[in-house]
Amino acid sequence: MKYELIDRFQPSSIWLDGDKLSFPADDLKSRELLAYYYNHAAKPDEVACEDALGAYKQATWGKRLVHGDWYRREAAHSAAAEKISDGHYVRYEEVFRGGNRAPHGRSRGRTKNLIDWLIHVTSHGGNLELAIFPDLEYPNQKRALLQLGPWLSVNGEAIFGTRPWVDGRPHSKTTAGIDVEFTTKRNSLYAILLDWPQRETVLPGLQAAPDTTIHLLGVDEPLSWQQSSGHLQIRMPSWWENGVEKHGPEIPCDHAYSLKITPQPRWIE
């Protein structure tokens, strides 16, 4: 039956549940299953299997990758990652519980929490796996998921195809205490602010090159900035009228806000 499911449905990823940690891989025949899965995939370079082939995984459950392609961080049992992952991981998050869990501090609503988790796992070397349950909570789950799309339409550049900032750190705070998650792509660093900073963002520990340009995703004009005592000070969007600074343009999205810094600054310990 297990081989028939692979042949008929060609799953893009396999999660291993049940007694996966109770018996050795030899008894479970999980290596044979994995070999069949890879060898019979229509697109072998686009499939992946969980690192949970047998009882060996108990020692590293939720901690690091040993075999397979990714390991699991179960939302109900795993706190937010503090370091960039040793191997790729997937955080399993149930949408109907999104209002109860947040990567930093208190919960601030289902959609906000899900977006914060998406940012957090991306900056730490993982993916977010969302579980949807067709029960009485489904309308609320659907509402939250529909709000993820508009956020990604503005900030997707800071998420899709990015990697953790291995030359810096995955998470920091502004001098005002706003949580910041970092991702990278090519020669750019994305500093994703989990709250709106008002007029100024000050990122401690960042040393920008003289030719640096900084954009807020969703806003066309580059932002002004200056380097000061190991802090990168960034002026948020605003305009001037008769020598008086006015409020900036409409905030480009809700929930979190992405600064694109090119080239990547240096992290100063």
Side-chain angles (χ1 to χ4, degrees), residues 1-58:
M1 173 62 75
K2 57 190 177 184
Y3 296 137
E4 180 183 359
L5 292 174
I6 291 173
D7 293 337
R8 289 185 61 186
F9 298 104
Q10 289 288 306
S12 59
S13 186
I14 290 182
W15 290 64
L16 299 171
D17 277 319
D19 291 327
K20 61 186 178 182
L21 303 183
S22 301
F23 302 96
D26 290 344
D27 293 351
L28 295 172
K29 305 296 182 184
S30 50
R31 295 190 186 93
E32 291 83 350
L33 173 66
L34 187 57
Y36 187 92
Y37 176 53
Y38 289 144
N39 291 331
H40 291 78
K43 298 180 179 179
D45 58 341
E46 296 183 10
V47 298
C49 183
E50 180 183 8
D51 175 13
L53 305 183
Y56 72 89
K57 188 58 188 172
Q58 290 181 352

Side-chain angles (χ1 to χ4, degrees), residues 216-264:
L216 175 66
L217 296 189
V219 175
D220 293 333
E221 294 298 319
L223 306 180
S224 62
W225 63 274
Q226 65 179 5
Q227 190 72 47
S228 175
S229 303
H231 290 50
L232 180 57
Q233 296 178 270
I234 304 169
R235 197 69 172 168
M236 301 308 287
S238 61
W239 70 82
W240 295 76
E241 183 177 298
N242 298 324
V244 178
E245 185 181 24
K246 303 294 184 179
H247 64 82
E250 186 71 20
I251 297 174
C253 60
D254 298 317
H255 307 299
Y257 316 91
S258 303
L259 295 168
K260 180 180 181 180
I261 307 171
T262 309
Q264 290 184 27

Side-chain angles (χ1 to χ4, degrees), residues 89-156:
Y89 77 96
V90 168
R91 182 177 176 88
Y92 174 81
E93 189 71 47
E94 297 152 332
V95 176
F96 80 95
R97 289 181 179 168
N100 300 324
R101 286 193 287 259
H104 306 294
R106 63 184 177 85
S107 170
R108 287 185 291 170
R110 191 188 307 260
T111 300
K112 170 65 173 169
N113 288 351
L114 293 178
I115 288 175
D116 286 358
W117 275 120
L118 174 61
I119 297 166
H120 176 81
V121 299
T122 303
S123 70
H124 288 74
N127 273 13
L128 182 64
E129 182 93 2
L130 295 178
I132 304 168
F133 295 82
D135 55 15
L136 294 177
E137 271 281 296
Y138 179 73
N140 291 331
Q141 297 175 64
K142 180 179 179 181
R143 188 179 306 114
L145 290 174
L146 287 175
Q147 294 180 66
L148 291 177
W151 186 85
L152 283 168
S153 69
V154 174
N155 298 277

Side-chain angles (χ1 to χ4, degrees), residues 50 186 199 251 268:
E50 180 183 8
R186 294 184 286 276
R199 292 181 176 272
I251 297 174
I268 305 171

Side-chain angles (χ1 to χ4, degrees), residues 172-180 193 197 201-204:
S172 184
K173 287 180 179 288
T174 70
T175 55
I178 294 175
D179 288 294
V180 186
L193 311 172
T201 297
V202 182
L203 299 172

